[in-house]
């Protein structure tokens, strides 16, 4: 069949439905997760990666900046961008390590501490809204299955996530 001189094809049968493709479903779920997060953190103007970095630094003051990226599972360029934005917002400071001038240690400022605490209060509501359609038992199973998929396939990602805390 031709349309305006260009040959077009008939429908292709036997393809996997998008709804049976884990990658499609994970990507769509991620889009929804980010939208719920951004809405919940709107007043604080924090992205998921920024909040993640602040959370990591909050429990590990003085952590090397490269280790923050490893904990987040992001590459060096994205980690640098996240930390630069947090530093410009006066939420973190970086200091050169005395033993190695190439190493930067990261700390929360007082403003950063206040921001991570405010974000943490909102995060409970964000989680509740996002996971709301699931029962308590389903939530545990869902999170366990996600963790298992990540752990078993961790080496296949662009960055290798380090499993520090659960």
């Amino acid at each position: 069949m031709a349309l305006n001189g260009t040959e077009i094809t008939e429908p292709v049968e036997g393809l996997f439905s998008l709804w049976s493709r884990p990658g499609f479903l994970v990507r769509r779920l991620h889009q929804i997760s980010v939208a719920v997060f951004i809405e919940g953190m709107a007043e604080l103007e924090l992205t998921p990666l920024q909040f993640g970095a602040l959370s990591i630094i909050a429990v590990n003051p003085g952590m090397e900046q490269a280790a923050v990226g490893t904990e987040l599972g992001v590459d060096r360029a994205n980690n640098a961008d996240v930390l630069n934005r947090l530093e410009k917002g006066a939420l973190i400071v970086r200091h050169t390590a005395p033993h190695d001038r190439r190493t930067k240690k990261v700390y929360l400022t007082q403003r950063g501490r206040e921001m991570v605490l405010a974000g943490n209060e909102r995060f409970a509501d964000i989680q509740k809204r996002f996971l709301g359609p699931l029962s308590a038992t389903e939530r545990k199973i869902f999170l366990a299955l996600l963790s298992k998929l990540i752990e078993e396939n961790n080496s296949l990602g662009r960055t290798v996530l380090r499993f520090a805390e659960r």
Side-chain angles (χ1 to χ4, degrees):
M1 178 193 306
L3 182 65
N4 294 334
T6 303
E7 187 174 329
I8 58 173
T9 66
E10 296 297 318
V12 177
E13 295 190 26
L15 294 180
F16 288 99
S17 160
L18 288 177
W19 292 92
S20 70
R21 298 178 188 183
F24 170 79
L25 297 172
V26 168
R27 184 186 61 79
R28 181 63 185 139
L29 190 61
H30 179 258
Q31 290 172 326
I32 294 166
S33 171
V34 169
V36 170
F37 183 93
I38 296 296
E39 183 180 303
M41 295 285 187
E43 289 180 30
L44 301 180
E45 299 180 358
L46 286 176
T47 68
L49 282 178
Q50 290 169 343
F51 182 62
L54 287 174
S55 299
I56 290 166
I57 297 164
V59 297
N60 300 288
M63 175 181 248
E64 292 183 12
Q65 68 180 7
V68 174
T70 301
E71 293 277 329
L72 278 175
V74 297
D75 60 32
R76 289 177 59 140
N78 286 327
N79 186 47
D81 182 57
V82 169
L83 295 179
N84 286 339
R85 289 173 189 265
L86 293 175
E87 191 170 43
K88 283 180 185 173
L91 301 174
I92 65 165
V93 293
R94 293 184 265 193
H95 293 287
T96 303
H99 66 282
D100 183 353
R101 298 197 49 79
R102 295 170 297 174
T103 301
K104 297 279 188 177
K105 303 269 188 175
V106 188
Y107 301 87
L108 291 182
T109 62
Q110 185 59 38
R111 184 168 189 262
R113 178 183 173 81
E114 291 166 6
M115 184 71 77
V116 78
L117 290 172
N120 200 55
E121 287 178 16
R122 293 166 194 262
F123 192 70
D125 290 333
I126 291 167
Q127 285 280 85
K128 188 175 179 180
R129 181 168 178 219
F130 180 66
L131 295 174
L134 303 177
S135 70
T137 300
E138 289 172 328
R139 288 175 192 169
K140 287 180 184 173
I141 293 168
F142 175 70
L143 292 173
L145 290 173
L146 284 176
S147 294
K148 182 176 182 174
L149 284 170
I150 291 167
E151 287 177 23
E152 296 298 321
N153 293 299
N154 189 40
S155 65
L156 304 176
R158 279 185 28 214
T159 60
V160 176
L161 185 65
R162 191 185 77 134
F163 300 103
E165 86 178 53
R166 293 295 168 121

